[in-house]
Amino acid sequence: MSNGTVSTLYAVATFLVVLAAWQIAVTALHVAPYFIPSPLAILHALIAGRALYAANFLVTLESTLIAFAVALAAGVLLGAMVSESRLLRRTLYPLLIAFQSMPRIALAPVIIVWFGFGISSKVVLGAFTAFFPIFLNTVHGMATADPDQLALMRILKANRMQVFLKVKLPGALPFLLAGANIGIIFAILAVIVGEFLGANRGMGFLIVNQSNQMDMAGTFASVFLLSATGIGFHYGLGALRRRLLFWSGTGEAGREAG
Amino acid sequence: MRRPVEAGTAPAVPILALRDVSKTYRTVRGENIVALSQTSLAFEAGEFVAIVGPSGCGKTTLLNITAGLLRPSGGTILFRNAAIDGPTPEVGMVFQGPVLLPWRKVIENVLLPIEVLGLRPASRYRQRAADLIGMLGLAGFAERYPRELSGGMQQRVSIARALIYDSSVLLMDEPFAALDAMTREELNLELLRIWKMTGRTILFVTHNIPEAVLLSDRVVVMTPRPGKVSAVVPVPLPRPRSLALLGDPAFGAIASRIRGLLGPRSGPAA
Ligand SMILES: Nc1ncnc2c1ncn2[C@@H]1O[C@H](COP(=O)(O)OP(=O)(O)OP(=O)(O)O)[C@@H](O)[C@H]1O
Ligand SMILES: [Mg+2]
C-alpha cells in the first residue's frame, strides 16, 4: 500500500471513530435532538430531504464556482499586469492593497442592496473576497522569478512576452495555486454569508430557515454537506496541483517506491 | 597556426575586445568591492581562451560583463569593433550552475534558444538537439525533467542548450566543475571537436590547470581580488589534442608555469 492510501485510511478511520463516539454519547446522555442531533439523525435528515438539499446545494455551488472563476481570471490578469507594468505597480497596486486590508465580508449588506437577492450579489461578494489571495499570490510569484532564469532569457534577448510566458508565469504557478486554494475557500464562505443575509435559495438560506425552525438535524446536515464540498475543493485543487507542478519536486509528486 | 597574442596588444581584427574594463560592486552595507580592475583583453575569431584565477577574483564578473548581463563600472566591450551595452545572440553563455527551466523536459530546455530566437525549421533543430544530447552522454534522458537528473547531468543539458544555436562567441563559466574526472575528460575532447567543427570563439573559465592547457590556445591568469590579468600564457601545443598530451613534457612545463603564476599556495607538493 502506498503512503497516501495508508494516510487516507487513518483519516477515514479517525472520522468514523469520532462519529461513533458522538452517536453513543448523544444516545447514552439523552441529549435533546433539537440541541445536538445524533449522526444517524443527521444522515436520516439528509436522505429524507435530498431533493431540497440538492436544489439549494446546486445554487450555492454555482455561485461559488462562478465567483471563483471570476476571481481567478481577474486575480491572475491583474496580478500579471501589475507585475509587468511599473505604472500599475505604483497606482493600482497600492489601491488594491488598501482594499485588501478592509474586512470585505462587512460589505455584504451593501452588495446585496446593490445587486439584489438573486445569485449575482453572491457572485460579486464571492469574487470580491476570493480575488485578493489570488491576486497577491500571483504578484508575489512573479516578483520572485528566479534571477538566473531571467539572466538566461536576457542572454537570448528574449522579448517581454517570451520572458513572461516561458519563465515568469510557469514560475509563479506554485504561488498562483496556493492563492487559488485560499480563494475558493473564501468564495464559498462569502457566498454562504451572502445567502444568510438576503436570498431565497442556496445553502445559506436553507441553514437560516432550518435553525429558525429548530431543525438541528437538518442544519447539521447542511453544514456537513458544505464541509464535504470544502474537502472536495481541497482534494480537487490538490490533484490539479500535482498535475501542474509535477516538475517542482515538492509535495507528493516526488513519490518513493514502496 | 594561431598567432599568440599578449595582453593589451590587440590583434588585427579581434572579434571581441575588453578595454580597461572594471567593476565595483556596492554591497548591501554600502562598502565598495572592486571585483575587476583595469582589464584589457582581445580575442581573435576562432580562438579558444581559458581563464584561470583564484576563487572570487572576478571571473564570473568578467564573463557576465562580456555577455552584456552586467554593466561595467568603467571601460568598454567591443564586439567586432562596435561597443555593446547589452546581450546579443552572437554571444552565448554557459552559466556556472545549471540554469534549467524545471517545467520543461530536457529536450525542451535544449530547444529553448531556438524558440526564443525564432529559428527554423523546427524539425532540423529537434534533430540537432537530439544529437547534442547524445554527444553529451545524455541519450535516453531527452524526455526526462531536470529534477530527475543529477547536477552534472543538468549542467550538460545547459551546455547542449548553449551549443544548439550558432553564437560566434561562447562564454563558459566552469562548465565541467560538477563532473567526475572521466566524464570531464571525455567532454573536454567533445568540446574541442565541436569547437573545431563550428569555428566558434570560446572563453572558458576553469579552476583546473590541466584542463585549461589541454583546451586552449592561450591561458589568461588572473590575480586575486581585485582581479586583473596577471599574465597571458600561450599554449603552442599541436592540435588536434588528445589525452596523451597530459603526459607530454611541454604540456607539463606550461601547466607548472601557470601554477607558479597563480601564487605561492601552489608550491612544490610533497
Ligand atoms: N552582486 C554582488 N555584490 C557584491 N559583491 C559581489 C557580487 N557579485 C560578486 N561579488 C564579489 O566580487 C568578487 C568576484 O566575484 P566573481 O563571482 O566574479 O568571482 P569568481 O572569480 O567567478 O569566483 P569563483 O571562482 O568562486 O566562481 C567576489 O569577491 C564577490 O564577493
Ligand atoms: Mg565564478
Side-chain angles (χ1 to χ4, degrees), chain A residues 87-99:
Chain A
L87 181 67
L88 289 181
R89 200 155 50 245
R90 288 176 172 176
T91 53
L92 186 64
Y93 190 56
L95 190 72
L96 288 174
I97 292 291
F99 258 112

Side-chain angles (χ1 to χ4, degrees), chain B residues 117-134:
Chain B
L117 298 170
L119 302 180
R120 258 156 242 294
S123 60
R124 189 182 127 216
Y125 285 106
R126 270 200 99 77
Q127 184 54 48
R128 188 154 162 194
D131 291 346
L132 280 168
I133 287 169

Side-chain angles (χ1 to χ4, degrees), chain B residues 151-229:
Chain B
M153 291 162 88
Q154 292 181 12
Q155 183 64 7
R156 280 179 273 161
V157 176
S158 73
I159 294 168
R161 181 182 60 204
L163 290 173
I164 196 161
Y165 67 107
D166 297 302
S167 60
S168 32
V169 176
L170 184 58
L171 311 173
M172 305 182 84
D173 197 350
E174 302 187 36
F176 302 142
L179 303 178
D180 62 279
M182 287 230 322
T183 316
R184 187 173 189 146
E185 286 172 350
E186 252 169 57
L187 288 183
N188 280 338
L189 298 180
E190 200 61 65
L191 180 63
L192 283 178
R193 256 197 298 282
I194 293 169
W195 169 66
K196 186 158 180 262
M197 234 157 52
T198 58
R200 279 187 176 86
T201 310
I202 298 184
L203 271 65
F204 187 100
V205 169
T206 176
H207 279 291
N208 185 314
I209 297 171
E211 181 178 64
V213 177
L214 176 69
L215 294 172
S216 67
D217 298 319
R218 295 188 289 154
V219 179
V220 174
V221 182
M222 293 180 66
T223 63
R225 210 181 78 200
K228 51 178 182 282
V229 177

Side-chain angles (χ1 to χ4, degrees), chain B residues 55-56 58-61 96 173-174 205 207:
Chain B
S55 181
K59 303 181 296 297
T60 297
T61 304
Q96 192 161 352
D173 197 350
E174 302 187 36
V205 169
H207 279 291

